[in-house]
Amino acid sequence: GAGVSQTPSNKVTEKGKYVELRCDPISGHTALYWYRQSLGQGPEFLIYFQGTGAADDSGLPNDRFFAVRPEGSVSTLKIQRTERGDSAVYLCASSPTSNNYGYTFGSGTRLTVV
Amino acid sequence: DQQVKQNSPSLSVQEGRISILNCDYTNSMFDYFLWYKKYPAEGPTFLISISSIKDKNEDGRFTVFLNKSAKHLSLHIVPSQPGDSAVYFCAASGTGNNRKLIWGLGTSLAVNP
């Protein structure tokens, strides 16, 4: 596709449930980033992939959060035992290389934990 | 503790006038700075960037100024247009393999016709 695609666009889940958020980057982009944005805040870094490997996962808040990118393209962010504080917009971005800071962002997945 | 600060939550200007959005940072190790624009229900869109070795970068109506000694940067939009109304985020990145961006809280710009 022409842009970064994130699905679902909205997700409502009950506290304690497991969720998966999907990101389809721009074809050929080797770098992929996950950020999350809470209301009234700027985006907060979660994890960065270069190819299939997580080059920096220092932003994952705890071990309930995990992300994979098995074939170096699509990435899935997985959240176990969701908590109300996980409610946010989860943003995915990709760039041609890790040296290009002008990421292209998707529209995000709005996660609401009730 | 906010390493990138945008102290004005909102700004309102008249169409055709200059918009000046400000950003301050605390970490002297930041070596690259970016501005993103965000419309509601969309992801941020890259606007313009500047390396720490420069003090100015211009792209059409958008100019970013960097004052390293003051740890301050600003985005100038001239002339401002109603379509520029959005939230503007300042972001910064460090050196080496650290590619993550540290973001400010954003400034909501309203350009009035």
Side-chain angles (χ1 to χ4, degrees), chain B residues 63-97:
Chain B
T63 303
V64 56
F65 295 93
L66 175 62
N67 182 335
K68 280 189 68 177
S69 61
K71 294 193 180 69
H72 176 83
L73 63 155
S74 60
L75 174 67
H76 292 209
I77 306 173
V78 56
S80 302
Q81 300 173 353
D84 296 330
S85 298
V87 178
Y88 288 78
F89 289 96
C90 172
S93 181
T95 58
N97 292 322

Side-chain angles (χ1 to χ4, degrees), chain A residues 62-102:
Chain A
N62 51 60
D63 61 7
R64 295 187 297 106
F65 288 74
F66 190 70
V68 295
R69 194 186 185 199
E71 297 177 0
S73 179
V74 171
S75 176
T76 305
L77 178 65
K78 309 180 181 194
I79 311 174
Q80 298 178 321
R81 304 183 304 279
T82 51
E83 300 177 356
R84 292 198 178 87
D86 299 335
S87 297
V89 175
Y90 288 80
L91 294 163
C92 176
S94 69
S95 67
T97 69
S98 61
N99 291 323
N100 185 332
Y101 291 98

